[in-house]
């Protein structure tokens, strides 16, 4: 009795229970080149220590990259099994089950056709055997000698041969009639397999994850399991330029998403992030720079070319520097939360989702490069007035007044920076660049040439019925050698020299009326020391 009272005084005994729950990707955050997939499950458990079993994770999941968060209980440990996983009940969707049933029906129909053809062929083979026997009987040495007996045997052979040939012909005709249906049944089977492949069902092999949890009281547990997969997203833009008195640019931003994780994302909550977690996260190591001096090398009698190579070979080794990288932006990057659930099939889909639309007030003008182009190009300049960078896009589509004019890349533009966008050629603005005079030599002695003069005429013709503001670019040579002199003169004079800190690049800001023509002349004179060659 005293022992029983002691048992009553102890806390209620706690026993471990196993809870098996199915899961599927529910939320995905996609970075450039990688994604974090999350599965969330909820289960009610009593007080005590339990094991929460998820039997349907991808087989390739790595325990080192697996991340687990638990609410409602304490996580005591995990166990991941990638092989020798117990078989799971059939979890095919209704569409997958229907597709598999269609394959089975098509296979059975094709097999039934083959059986029918085989049955007909058996009849034909029997008739052929009968004919062979009859032909052998006609040449037998045991036939009766009396005329009446021979007539009876001949009549029998005739009748049986006719019957056999008719049976064989009928069987062959039936076989050909059945063969007509084979292409249709073969196509039906092929289409059934294609229908199942289009549904991209998940693979049969899975990993099993067991979570050991401790619940102080009965609770509803929520476990989130996350793991990395191969995935990628990139922005794509549609840029609409509207001309007129108040020009405007509307940028419609979208994202292209693809993944190759071997599992499908079915109606997941999708988030896009601009920074790649696979990049450098620690600063580089800076090593001390040791310098020393040595005795100079003794010169050798070598050719000039060999001497230059030797100087390069014995030059001090350069200090290694970090390779330049594409532009990166400070801060935690930009996050885009997709408003609606998204479905992305593994290895099959490239899904495009709309993000937002931005509006800019541009300056519209024409840019002309007569040295390279025969027409000017429509340009629009604006400022990224948003609080975020505009990411680089490999493909952007450009529209002018609703008409598509072309596709091309879009360069990264940080917040607050200028952007210049090209919207295709202006066929009505024609450009020509003509070299009028080229004189090289010292009073005709070409072998001692140390001077070059050149005159270039640039013509811009406006064949349209509207005025154009044109920024025309051309170049003159420049030098870094004191004894090489370059003189040039342009009529009219350029509005800007060394455009964008590029030496020798000139810019004229022109306003060309409808039907008008603008002409520019550039003269240049280059002189260098005797005995030298101009490069």
């Amino acid at each position: 009795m005293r022992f029983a009272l002691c048992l009553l005084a102890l806390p209620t005994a706690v026993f471990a229970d196993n809870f098996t729950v199915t899961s599927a990707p529910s939320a995905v955050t996609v970075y450039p080149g990688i994604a974090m997939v999350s599965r969330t499950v909820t289960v009610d458990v009593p007080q005590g220590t339990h094991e929460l079993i998820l039997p349907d994770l991808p087989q390739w999941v790595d325990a080192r990259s697996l991340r687990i968060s638990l609410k409602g209980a304490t996580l005591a440990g995990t166990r991941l099994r990638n092989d020798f996983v117990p078989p799971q009940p059939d979890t095919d969707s209704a569409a997958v089950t229907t597709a598999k049933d269609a394959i089975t029906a098509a296979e059975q129909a094709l097999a039934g056709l083959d059986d029918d053809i085989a049955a007909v062929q058996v009849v034909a083979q029997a008739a052929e055997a009968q004919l062979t026997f009859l032909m052998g009987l006609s040449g037998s040495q045991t036939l009766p000698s009396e005329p009446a007996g021979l007539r009876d045997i001949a009549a029998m052979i005739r009748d049986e041969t006719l019957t056999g040939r008719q049976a064989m012909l009928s069987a062959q005709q039936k076989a050909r009639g059945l063969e007509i249906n084979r292409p249709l049944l073969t196509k039906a089977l092929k289409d059934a397999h294609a229908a199942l492949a289009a549904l991209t069902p998940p693979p049969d092999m899975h990993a099993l994850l067991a979570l050991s949890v401790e619940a102080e009281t009965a609770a509803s547990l929520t476990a989130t399991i996350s793991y990395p997969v191969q995935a990628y997203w990139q922005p794509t833009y549609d840029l609409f330029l509207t001309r007129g008195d108040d020009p405007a640019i509307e940028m419609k931003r979208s994202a292209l998403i693809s993944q190759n994780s071997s599992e499908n994302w079915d109606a997941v909550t999708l988030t896009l992030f601009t920074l790649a977690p696979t990049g450098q996260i620690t600063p580089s190591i800076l090593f001390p720079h040791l310098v020393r001096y040595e005795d100079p090398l003794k010169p050798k009698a070598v050719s000039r070319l060999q001497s230059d190579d030797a100087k390069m070979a014995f030059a001090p080794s350069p200090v290694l520097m970090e390779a330049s990288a594409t532009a990166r932006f400070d801060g935690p990057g930009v996050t885009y939360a997709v408003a609606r659930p998204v479905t992305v099939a593994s290895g099959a889909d490239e899904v495009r989702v709309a993000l937002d639309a931005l509006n800019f007030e541009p300056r519209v003008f024409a840019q002309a490069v007569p040295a390279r182009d025969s027409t000017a190009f429509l340009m629009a300049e604006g400022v990224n007035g948003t609080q975020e960078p505009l990411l680089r896009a490999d493909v952007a589509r450009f529209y002018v007044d609703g008409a598509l004019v072309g596709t091309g890349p879009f360069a990264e533009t940080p917040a607050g920076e200028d952007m210049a966008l090209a919207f295709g050629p202006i066929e009505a603005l024609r450009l020509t660049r003509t070299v009028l005079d080229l004189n090289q030599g010292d009073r005709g002695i070409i072998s001692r040439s140390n001077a070059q003069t050149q005159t270039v005429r640039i013509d811009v013709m406006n064949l349209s019925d509207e005025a154009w503001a044109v920024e025309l670019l051309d170049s003159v040579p420049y030098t870094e050698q004191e004894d090489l002199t370059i003189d040039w003169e342009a009529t009219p004079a350029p509005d800007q020299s060394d455009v964008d800190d590029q030496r020798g690049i000139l810019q004229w800001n022109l306003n060309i009326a409808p039907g008008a023509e603008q002409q520019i002349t550039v003269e240049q004179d280059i002189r260098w020391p005797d005995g030298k060659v101009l490069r």
Side-chain angles (χ1 to χ4, degrees), residues 28 30 231-234 255-259 265 270 272 338 342 344-345 349-353 355:
V28 180
V30 185
Y232 190 77
W233 82 275
Q234 60 178 332
L256 291 176
I257 305 125
S258 59
Q259 59 106 347
W265 301 345
L270 189 66
L272 307 176
V338 180
V342 178
V344 186
D349 288 343
E350 188 173 34
V351 177
R352 177 171 176 153
V353 296
L355 298 179

Side-chain angles (χ1 to χ4, degrees), residues 405-422:
V405 296
T407 60
F410 181 91
E412 289 179 345
T413 307
E417 293 293 323
D418 295 334
M419 59 181 178
L421 304 175

